[in-house]
Amino acid sequence: MISTTPNELTVSEFLKALNMNLRRYRVLVTGEITGRVNRRGAVTYFSLHDAEEEAVLQCMAFNSILDRLGIEIREGMAIKVGGYPEIWKRAGMFSFKVFEILLTGEGELKRQFEMLMKKLEAEGLFSPEHKVPIPNFAKHIGLITAADREAMNDFITHLAPHGLNIELYDVRVEGARAVEEIVEAISWFNENRPEIEVLVLTRGGGSLESLQAFNSELVARAIFASRIPIICGVGHERDVSIADFVADMRASTPTHAAKIISESWERGALELDQQAERLSGNIRERITQAQFTITTTLQQAHDSLQGRFAQLDRALTEHMKKLMLGNPELKLKQGYSIMRSHNAIIKSVAQLREHDIVEAQFHHGKAKLQFQKGV
Amino acid sequence: MAKQNFNFKKAFEELEKINEWFSGEDIDIDEALEKFKRGTELVKEAKKHLKEAENKFTRIRKELGEEE
């Protein structure tokens, strides 16, 4: 082991200490690609230079970062690289470790935008069947935007006051860290805030270049993977980003995003009145119905008893009539007589023998008669 | 003050259900009165909530995770 004083270090100790300090230079560097772009193994090497001045920066990036760009970088192309500088210990070489490549120049950006759009569309990231509906009366809202900027204020001031809980996750919306922070914010809410019902990802308007984070593939995939539905409100009405297409709902501006959430509450207030009216209507109707049922039941009982009485009355009259007709008194009055012999009523001549005494009953009085055959 | 834990969404859904229930057949009048009472309570609470509720705004200290 080599003994060292505070200012005396081994090469590797020195480089390590340097690298620790260099990591703090997390910056975006703009330049033009010069020379060949070398892909070796999992890594690609290229150099950036300034067109006006002699200055060159050696860059190193993992291939996956280049692949995410959607288009191939080549000599002469103007780009921005995000990352930090590092000295490669084994060769003592200074290079810039690239974590993000951003295209500059409207033409390239548009090309990249269109290529990524095509790719993600083909994968189904924009399909309506993947869209989660924004819930009605959302109370817990996760806001992902840069703190204290116009977009944040627009959003908050346009939310209807209905006891909503808004949690702000402060992110950079442009620059070297924007993509990383937005992706992190989305997954943070998904992992740590089960009560959040809707996420709002928003920022003010800007040039295609300043909206790059919202056109990044990583952000698009994070939105797509989110369990919580996302409203994306980027820029002014004319600005459209890939994030807008992947989001469950697109708001044209931060204010519009607030209005989408507030709308169900405003509607809820109206519908509440309707429901309240419906409720009193329902109970009134039910009571009237109950009263009607009672009245009808009573009437029916009354009617059916009346009917029964009338029926009984008719039956009794019939019986009376029959009884009257069968009354023997009536027959005697009409001139009929009843003949009896040996205490039995004679219904046939066969019951009698010659000279039998027959008792005859008339309407007035009785008489004994002698039977004589063959009259 | 409206109750903090009052859930407008749930209250609204319950109210809708109650009104749906009324469109059924053979409704018992006692039950109807009970439902009406509950519905009225829900309307009252929901209105109170709409009137008085202020939004709450909090910032998450995302640095927390980084510092740990």
Side-chain angles (χ1 to χ4, degrees), chain B residues 3-15:
Chain B
K3 281 181 213 157
Q4 264 306 302
N5 54 2
F6 178 77
N7 188 324
F8 186 88
K9 193 175 174 178
K10 279 193 183 151
F12 197 85
E13 278 165 6
E14 193 183 337
L15 188 59

Side-chain angles (χ1 to χ4, degrees), chain A residues 137 139 148 156 160-170 271-273 275 278-279 282-283 286, chain B residues 8-9 12 15-16 19-20 22 27 32 36 39-40 47 49-50 53-60 62:
Chain A
F137 315 125
K139 199 177 163 76
D148 305 318
I156 290 168
H162 294 304
L164 316 183
N165 288 326
I166 306 121
E167 285 197 66
L168 166 75
Y169 194 114
D170 180 15
E271 277 174 25
L272 187 65
D273 284 337
Q275 291 287 346
R278 212 178 134 194
L279 185 70
N282 273 335
I283 196 73
R286 187 61 202 99
Chain B
F8 186 88
K9 193 175 174 178
F12 197 85
L15 188 59
E16 276 180 324
N19 273 327
E20 279 309 306
F22 271 99
I27 296 168
F36 175 70
T40 317
K47 286 211 161 183
H49 181 87
L50 283 176
E54 288 278 317
N55 291 342
K56 199 175 127 210
F57 181 74
T58 34
R59 288 171 192 230
I60 296 150
K62 63 161 189 194

Side-chain angles (χ1 to χ4, degrees), chain A residues 304-320:
Chain A
S304 97
L305 267 178
Q306 282 253 323
R308 189 82 193 105
F309 280 136
Q311 212 179 27
L312 283 173
D313 196 41
R314 273 197 304 276
L316 274 175
T317 315
E318 278 304 306
H319 283 304
M320 279 300 284

